[in-house]
mmCIF file of all heavy atoms in Angstrom:
data_model
loop_
_atom_site.group_PDB
_atom_site.id
_atom_site.type_symbol
_atom_site.label_atom_id
_atom_site.label_comp_id
_atom_site.label_asym_id
_atom_site.label_seq_id
_atom_site.Cartn_x
_atom_site.Cartn_y
_atom_site.Cartn_z
ATOM 1 N N GLU A 23 24.081 51.199 -63.766
ATOM 2 C CA GLU A 23 25.012 52.103 -64.422
ATOM 3 C C GLU A 23 26.402 51.479 -64.506
ATOM 4 O O GLU A 23 26.782 50.649 -63.671
ATOM 5 C CB GLU A 23 25.137 53.435 -63.665
ATOM 6 C CG GLU A 23 23.844 54.194 -63.481
ATOM 7 C CD GLU A 23 23.263 54.010 -62.102
ATOM 8 O OE1 GLU A 23 23.501 52.936 -61.509
ATOM 9 O OE2 GLU A 23 22.587 54.922 -61.612
ATOM 10 N N VAL A 29 39.486 60.490 -65.004
ATOM 11 C CA VAL A 29 39.917 61.052 -66.284
ATOM 12 C C VAL A 29 40.499 62.440 -66.044
ATOM 13 O O VAL A 29 40.104 63.124 -65.102
ATOM 14 C CB VAL A 29 38.734 61.096 -67.274
ATOM 15 C CG1 VAL A 29 37.644 62.031 -66.802
ATOM 16 C CG2 VAL A 29 39.191 61.446 -68.677
ATOM 17 N N ARG A 36 32.076 57.652 -71.354
ATOM 18 C CA ARG A 36 30.706 57.327 -71.726
ATOM 19 C C ARG A 36 30.090 56.449 -70.639
ATOM 20 O O ARG A 36 30.593 55.354 -70.361
ATOM 21 C CB ARG A 36 30.630 56.600 -73.071
ATOM 22 C CG ARG A 36 29.178 56.429 -73.533
ATOM 23 C CD ARG A 36 29.059 55.771 -74.882
ATOM 24 N NE ARG A 36 29.243 54.320 -74.819
ATOM 25 C CZ ARG A 36 28.813 53.466 -75.737
ATOM 26 N NH1 ARG A 36 28.159 53.935 -76.804
ATOM 27 N NH2 ARG A 36 29.021 52.173 -75.624
ATOM 28 N N SER A 42 15.898 47.248 -67.140
ATOM 29 C CA SER A 42 15.165 45.991 -67.279
ATOM 30 C C SER A 42 13.899 46.038 -66.447
ATOM 31 O O SER A 42 13.733 46.894 -65.573
ATOM 32 C CB SER A 42 16.032 44.810 -66.844
ATOM 33 O OG SER A 42 16.401 44.929 -65.492
ATOM 34 N N PRO A 58 30.068 65.361 -53.376
ATOM 35 C CA PRO A 58 30.084 65.305 -51.913
ATOM 36 C C PRO A 58 29.624 66.613 -51.284
ATOM 37 O O PRO A 58 30.086 67.695 -51.667
ATOM 38 C CB PRO A 58 31.555 65.025 -51.587
ATOM 39 C CG PRO A 58 32.066 64.325 -52.797
ATOM 40 C CD PRO A 58 31.356 64.949 -53.958
ATOM 41 N N VAL A 65 21.166 66.418 -64.845
ATOM 42 C CA VAL A 65 22.180 66.586 -65.885
ATOM 43 C C VAL A 65 21.541 66.582 -67.271
ATOM 44 O O VAL A 65 21.717 67.530 -68.042
ATOM 45 C CB VAL A 65 23.254 65.482 -65.800
ATOM 46 C CG1 VAL A 65 24.261 65.629 -66.940
ATOM 47 C CG2 VAL A 65 23.954 65.507 -64.446
ATOM 48 N N SER A 71 10.781 57.164 -76.314
ATOM 49 C CA SER A 71 10.070 56.848 -77.540
ATOM 50 C C SER A 71 10.539 57.689 -78.726
ATOM 51 O O SER A 71 10.825 57.160 -79.800
ATOM 52 C CB SER A 71 8.567 57.030 -77.342
ATOM 53 O OG SER A 71 7.860 56.774 -78.530
ATOM 54 N N THR A 75 15.461 65.416 -76.186
ATOM 55 C CA THR A 75 16.442 65.541 -75.116
ATOM 56 C C THR A 75 16.360 66.898 -74.425
ATOM 57 O O THR A 75 15.813 67.867 -74.981
ATOM 58 C CB THR A 75 17.865 65.346 -75.655
ATOM 59 O OG1 THR A 75 18.116 66.310 -76.687
ATOM 60 C CG2 THR A 75 18.060 63.952 -76.196
ATOM 61 N N SER A 80 25.014 73.916 -68.020
ATOM 62 C CA SER A 80 26.461 73.784 -67.867
ATOM 63 C C SER A 80 27.048 72.602 -68.642
ATOM 64 O O SER A 80 28.268 72.518 -68.779
ATOM 65 C CB SER A 80 26.839 73.671 -66.388
ATOM 66 O OG SER A 80 26.280 72.496 -65.818
ATOM 67 N N ARG A 89 19.822 56.791 -76.474
ATOM 68 C CA ARG A 89 19.356 55.481 -76.040
ATOM 69 C C ARG A 89 19.420 54.508 -77.199
ATOM 70 O O ARG A 89 19.313 54.892 -78.364
ATOM 71 C CB ARG A 89 17.934 55.529 -75.442
ATOM 72 C CG ARG A 89 16.780 55.460 -76.464
ATOM 73 C CD ARG A 89 16.496 56.789 -77.023
ATOM 74 N NE ARG A 89 15.310 56.795 -77.874
ATOM 75 C CZ ARG A 89 15.342 57.002 -79.171
ATOM 76 N NH1 ARG A 89 16.513 57.158 -79.780
ATOM 77 N NH2 ARG A 89 14.217 57.052 -79.873
ATOM 78 N N ASP A 90 19.599 53.228 -76.842
ATOM 79 C CA ASP A 90 19.598 52.139 -77.797
ATOM 80 C C ASP A 90 18.479 51.195 -77.370
ATOM 81 O O ASP A 90 18.623 50.454 -76.386
ATOM 82 C CB ASP A 90 20.954 51.435 -77.786
ATOM 83 C CG ASP A 90 21.058 50.333 -78.825
ATOM 84 O OD1 ASP A 90 20.016 49.761 -79.199
ATOM 85 O OD2 ASP A 90 22.175 50.040 -79.252
ATOM 86 N N LYS A 93 19.112 47.431 -77.034
ATOM 87 C CA LYS A 93 19.895 47.024 -75.870
ATOM 88 C C LYS A 93 19.271 47.493 -74.563
ATOM 89 O O LYS A 93 19.833 47.235 -73.494
ATOM 90 C CB LYS A 93 21.315 47.562 -75.973
ATOM 91 C CG LYS A 93 22.100 47.006 -77.154
ATOM 92 C CD LYS A 93 23.515 47.550 -77.185
ATOM 93 C CE LYS A 93 24.304 46.955 -78.342
ATOM 94 N NZ LYS A 93 25.691 47.486 -78.391
ATOM 95 N N ASN A 94 18.145 48.203 -74.645
ATOM 96 C CA ASN A 94 17.511 48.759 -73.438
ATOM 97 C C ASN A 94 18.516 49.555 -72.609
ATOM 98 O O ASN A 94 18.544 49.462 -71.372
ATOM 99 C CB ASN A 94 16.892 47.650 -72.586
ATOM 100 C CG ASN A 94 15.382 47.646 -72.656
ATOM 101 O OD1 ASN A 94 14.799 48.192 -73.587
ATOM 102 N ND2 ASN A 94 14.740 47.042 -71.676
ATOM 103 N N ASN A 101 32.105 64.759 -72.950
ATOM 104 C CA ASN A 101 33.338 65.246 -73.571
ATOM 105 C C ASN A 101 33.803 66.519 -72.883
ATOM 106 O O ASN A 101 33.020 67.198 -72.220
ATOM 107 C CB ASN A 101 33.116 65.511 -75.050
ATOM 108 C CG ASN A 101 32.726 64.261 -75.830
ATOM 109 O OD1 ASN A 101 33.153 63.154 -75.514
ATOM 110 N ND2 ASN A 101 31.920 64.445 -76.861
ATOM 111 N N ASP A 116 11.442 57.912 -65.243
ATOM 112 C CA ASP A 116 10.134 58.505 -64.968
ATOM 113 C C ASP A 116 9.109 57.767 -65.817
ATOM 114 O O ASP A 116 9.132 57.890 -67.046
ATOM 115 C CB ASP A 116 10.164 59.990 -65.319
ATOM 116 C CG ASP A 116 8.788 60.624 -65.343
ATOM 117 O OD1 ASP A 116 7.829 60.012 -64.830
ATOM 118 O OD2 ASP A 116 8.668 61.733 -65.891
ATOM 119 N N TRP A 120 4.215 61.330 -70.239
ATOM 120 C CA TRP A 120 3.202 62.269 -70.726
ATOM 121 C C TRP A 120 3.229 63.595 -69.950
ATOM 122 O O TRP A 120 2.687 64.603 -70.406
ATOM 123 C CB TRP A 120 1.807 61.638 -70.620
ATOM 124 C CG TRP A 120 1.466 61.117 -69.252
ATOM 125 C CD1 TRP A 120 1.648 59.851 -68.800
ATOM 126 C CD2 TRP A 120 0.902 61.846 -68.170
ATOM 127 N NE1 TRP A 120 1.233 59.750 -67.499
ATOM 128 C CE2 TRP A 120 0.762 60.945 -67.078
ATOM 129 C CE3 TRP A 120 0.485 63.169 -68.001
ATOM 130 C CZ2 TRP A 120 0.225 61.333 -65.856
ATOM 131 C CZ3 TRP A 120 -0.047 63.558 -66.784
ATOM 132 C CH2 TRP A 120 -0.169 62.638 -65.724
ATOM 133 N N LEU A 123 9.142 66.258 -70.444
ATOM 134 C CA LEU A 123 10.549 65.997 -70.164
ATOM 135 C C LEU A 123 11.086 67.115 -69.293
ATOM 136 O O LEU A 123 10.953 68.287 -69.639
ATOM 137 C CB LEU A 123 11.303 65.954 -71.490
ATOM 138 C CG LEU A 123 12.716 65.401 -71.512
ATOM 139 C CD1 LEU A 123 12.738 63.955 -71.068
ATOM 140 C CD2 LEU A 123 13.281 65.520 -72.917
#
Side-chain angles (χ1 to χ4, degrees):
E23 302 100 331
V29 64
R36 187 178 78 159
S42 61
V65 177
S71 178
T75 58
S80 63
R89 84 276 187 247
D90 184 333
K93 296 181 178 180
N94 253 20
N101 298 327
D116 168 15
W120 54 267
L123 193 61

